[in-house]
Amino acid sequence: MCGIWWEVHPSTSFEPQLDEATRTLISRRGPDRLNGTGEVLCNGRCFVASSVLHIRGRNPTPQPITSENGSVLAFNGEIFGGLQIKADDSDSRALSLALSECQQPDDVIRCLSELQGPWSLVYFHAPSGKLFIGRDLFGRRSLLWARSQGALFVSSVAHELLDWQLVQSGCVFVISLTADSIWSSVEIFGIRENIDNQLLNEFDQVRHCSIEASNWRRILHVNSDVENRAASDGDSDSAVVESFIEHLSAAVAIRVLCVPPSDDRRQCSVAVLFSGGVDSLLLTVLAHRYIPPESPIDLINVAFARDDAIEAAATVPDRVTGLTAYEALKKLFPQRRWQFITVDVPMSELQLERRTRISRLVRPSNTVLDDSIGCVIWFAARAKGVLHETKEQYSSPAKVLLLGSGADELLAGYGRHRTRFDHDGPAGLVAELQMELNRIGQRNLGRDDRIVADHGRESRFPFLDESFVAYVNGLSIYSKVRMDLPRGLGEKWLIRQALRTFEMPECLCSLPKRAMQFGTRIAKLEQRKEKGGDRCDRLFAD
């Protein structure tokens, strides 16, 4: 993983605009590169800076990477499929080599469209003079762009003075740098034909192109067959649950097995954002299967309270369910050292960190919901708190943080999914799930990447593994949910059944969905009457 900063200027006479504050944000994303960011010039008109977080490969690979033919790559992400990578090689180096063998722009597009895993990149293809800017299908890695005084800026984080916009997920934008103006035309390769992005209006010509070699449409397509509802029996249900566990296990395995162990194997290498809810609990159980038994797993649990009542954090809903799940894990898997980290955040600390760090990381997202979720994830990713068993101060050394993002969109976990089913039946629910999945890359994940990476950690989302998503989307709606059952039983039915196969207590298997802003009590902390979609003034306070 890395931090990316890329400038494209209309002429070869320019001064780089990377300021020290933004350089610091870029460097925090990649603390494993010595001397901060690496910087190069390319094509005479581009200034590039990158930082590196070493996750895969024997040694860190400095970025940006310059090929022998003059091509330059700044890559942020992990490749879990679509490209052969040796066990001791880094994915950024392997991708750079693969791209350097591409003779034509179409070859570059084909290579990128086959990648599986979270990624964003900027790539200058020297043979064609083309600049490629893109994000993966689900937008799991941040990438922003902006224009100022005729120059184009692309970054993992927001520079204070520019009007940043999200680079559309599931798309690769191709700009020619051989013309007199970089704003003459842009080609958009992707699966979305209608892209609402003000920056695109700056180009004289915008051309949408298809990615014929891509399987992105197949991955995103939700099975819409609601007519063929075969009578379910115990055996068929069991087979689906077993297959579900197998596919999710594969997604978890590849995300925890490629993490370099600490020099001391008794130190944690993988942590979980752990509320005790069904999503985080199932990911934790499956991670236990693959992480070496001598390595602890850190379970990070966040709670907010007023300064004068910080002891109330012990009664916050996510703390209560988290501790219940923690005790269940210790009982069922006693050979593992489980470390439950209580992160208690007083209001004064929340306000300080929001003002000095979090507000800039969240941008350009700007709603009340962005603020709440961004703050919860930032304190979780900092992973600094107290070990529940010993009451010792503790800061997790884990480089990888597992999150349950995507489970609700795939398996109908939100309350609005039940409402849609009640109003419009199975077909309405399928349409709702399709809409949720199509927009997930623009709503949440880039923001979450900016937040987590600020601590030099990498967010990983097993529920959004491409192969797993394709598998779940191929299932009948009747195999995924049971909306005839009460709340806490019917939604995310497959996850609940999977937990039952691991003999988890029924009180944990039947927990209703509780959004993290309510489970951690951050939504009630400042006692404001506001809606989640409202613009959040707190993010813009001095």
Side-chain angles (χ1 to χ4, degrees):
M1 193 189 80
C2 80
I4 295 172
W5 176 269
W6 196 299
E7 304 177 19
V8 185
H9 293 269
S11 72
T12 58
S13 177
F14 66 90
E15 289 292 330
Q17 299 298 302
L18 178 60
D19 65 337
E20 284 306 311
T22 306
R23 189 190 304 275
T24 297
L25 289 179
I26 295 291
S27 297
R28 284 183 189 140
R29 296 178 59 88
D32 293 331
R33 180 185 173 92
L34 298 178
N35 303 319
T37 58
E39 302 171 0
V40 301
L41 295 171
C42 78
N43 196 41
R45 299 161 61 190
C46 298
F47 171 77
V48 190
S50 292
S51 61
V52 176
L53 175 68
H54 177 223
I55 298 286
R56 301 175 74 176
R58 184 171 300 172
N59 298 302
T61 299
Q63 288 208 49
I65 302 174
T66 302
S67 303
E68 291 183 359
N69 65 4
S71 298
V72 178
L73 171 67
F75 177 72
N76 174 28
E78 299 286 334
I79 300 173
F80 296 131
L83 182 67
Q84 292 294 323
I85 301 176
K86 297 178 181 178
D88 60 349
D89 198 5
S90 74
D91 38 18
S92 55
R93 183 187 292 112
L95 178 59
S96 176
L97 179 60
L99 292 174
S100 68
E101 295 175 353
C102 295
Q103 299 300 315
Q104 302 296 328
D106 285 352
D107 300 329
V108 175
I109 293 297
R110 189 173 299 107
C111 177
L112 296 179
S113 68
E114 292 174 355
L115 300 181
Q116 295 184 26
W119 58 268
S120 64
L121 60 75
V122 186
Y123 177 63
F124 174 66
H125 183 241
S128 64
K130 302 277 189 180
L131 187 71
F132 296 77
I133 303 168
R135 295 171 72 203
D136 72 78
L137 177 60
F138 299 115
R140 289 161 288 186
R141 292 292 174 260
S142 172
L143 201 62
L144 313 172
W145 57 1
R147 180 186 180 184
S148 178
Q149 298 180 347
L152 176 66
F153 299 86
V154 189
S155 177
S156 299
V157 295
H159 182 287
E160 194 70 37
L161 301 179
L162 297 179
D163 183 17
W164 293 97
Q165 298 175 50
L166 294 172
V167 173
Q168 176 74 41
S169 61
C171 290
V172 179
F173 299 83
V174 184
I175 302 169
S176 175
L177 298 189
T178 58
D180 293 336
S181 171
I182 61 174
W183 303 104
S184 59
S185 66
V186 59
E187 295 177 300
I188 306 174
F189 292 83
I191 59 174
R192 297 179 175 90
E193 296 181 358
N194 298 317
I195 299 177
D196 181 17
N197 194 300
Q198 294 179 0
L199 191 140
L200 293 178
N201 297 332
E202 305 290 342
F203 290 91
D204 297 331
Q205 181 179 7
V206 178
R207 187 164 70 93
H208 292 265
C209 311
S210 64
I211 302 180
E212 296 180 0
S214 172
N215 63 355
W216 286 357
R217 291 185 185 277
R218 179 186 63 83
I219 292 171
L220 279 181
H221 178 68
V222 178
N223 184 348
S224 59
D225 181 10
V226 297
E227 302 297 329
N228 184 22
R229 181 174 184 176
S232 297
D233 55 37
D235 290 337
S236 62
D237 280 352
S238 298
V240 172
V241 173
E242 182 179 349
S243 179
F244 174 81
I245 293 173
E246 179 182 344
H247 281 83
L248 185 57
S249 293
V252 171
I254 198 170
R255 284 161 175 79
V256 301
L257 289 175
C258 66
V259 179
S262 168
D263 292 338
D264 182 355
R265 287 184 174 269
R266 294 170 298 177
Q267 281 195 338
C268 171
S269 58
V270 175
V272 184
L273 177 50
F274 191 77
S275 66
V278 295
D279 308 338
S280 63
L281 184 54
L282 183 56
L283 291 184
T284 302
V285 171
L286 297 181
H288 165 69
R289 285 181 158 186
Y290 302 103
I291 295 174
E294 65 272 20
S295 297
I297 296 178
D298 286 348
L299 309 175
I300 306 170
N301 186 276
V302 181
F304 295 83
R306 299 195 318 271
D307 291 41
D308 59 354
I310 192 64
E311 67 277 1
T315 64
V316 166
D318 277 4
R319 178 61 48 79
V320 175
T321 56
L323 283 171
T324 301
Y326 167 60
E327 294 298 334
L329 288 168
K330 289 197 300 178
K331 181 178 180 180
L332 289 170
F333 310 108
Q335 68 275 32
R336 170 77 61 189
R337 180 153 59 97
W338 302 100
Q339 299 190 144
F340 189 85
I341 306 170
T342 59
V343 179
D344 296 341
V345 185
M347 186 171 177
S348 59
E349 186 179 13
L350 166 64
Q351 293 173 335
L352 173 64
E353 298 296 355
R354 176 198 282 131
R355 183 176 66 253
T356 59
R357 297 278 288 273
I358 301 171
S359 61
R360 185 166 177 187
L361 294 166
V362 168
R363 295 176 192 174
S365 303
N366 60 11
T367 68
V368 170
L369 191 60
D370 291 318
D371 171 53
S372 296
I373 295 178
C375 289
V376 173
I377 294 178
W378 190 87
F379 282 102
R382 189 174 67 168
K384 184 178 180 181
V386 174
L387 288 173
H388 176 71
E389 292 288 346
T390 65
K391 308 306 179 186
E392 297 174 282
Q393 294 291 325
Y394 178 77
S395 182
S396 176
K399 282 190 172 183
V400 167
L401 179 65
L402 296 182
L403 294 92
S405 305
D408 293 302
E409 289 81 359
L410 283 172
L411 297 161
Y414 294 121
R416 60 180 174 269
H417 291 138
R418 184 174 287 274
T419 300
R420 184 69 187 270
F421 180 86
D422 291 341
H423 286 176
D424 301 316
L429 177 57
V430 168
E432 188 77 12
L433 292 176
Q434 186 68 74
M435 180 190 68
E436 297 269 3
L437 202 56
N438 287 343
R439 70 184 185 181
I440 190 172
Q442 291 302 103
R443 291 172 64 88
N444 306 328
L445 301 179
R447 174 202 65 206
D448 297 348
D449 173 65
R450 293 191 295 278
I451 292 291
V452 173
D454 190 53
H455 301 286
R457 304 187 205 274
E458 181 170 285
S459 54
R460 292 188 174 174
F461 311 99
F463 284 110
L464 289 174
D465 175 87
E466 284 86 350
S467 295
F468 177 73
V469 171
Y471 161 74
V472 172
N473 281 345
L475 295 174
S476 162
I477 191 65
Y478 304 109
S479 297
K480 294 185 279 193
V481 298
R482 296 285 193 273
M483 288 302 185
D484 54 326
L485 297 177
R487 184 169 178 265
L489 296 175
E491 67 277 9
K492 293 193 284 194
W493 181 81
L494 277 173
I495 292 179
R496 301 177 191 280
Q497 291 299 106
L499 287 174
R500 291 183 177 100
T501 68
F502 293 107
E503 300 182 349
M504 280 292 163
E506 184 58 31
C507 65
L508 294 173
C509 299
S510 57
L511 278 173
K513 166 70 179 179
R514 186 170 56 224
M516 69 171 66
Q517 66 269 29
F518 301 116
T520 62
R521 287 277 171 86
I522 190 175
K524 293 186 176 181
L525 189 61
E526 291 169 298
Q527 297 296 321
R528 300 195 181 195
K529 293 183 179 180
E530 53 193 6
K531 296 179 180 179
D534 292 345
R535 185 180 185 272
C536 183
D537 293 336
R538 294 185 294 279
L539 292 172
F540 300 91
D542 293 334

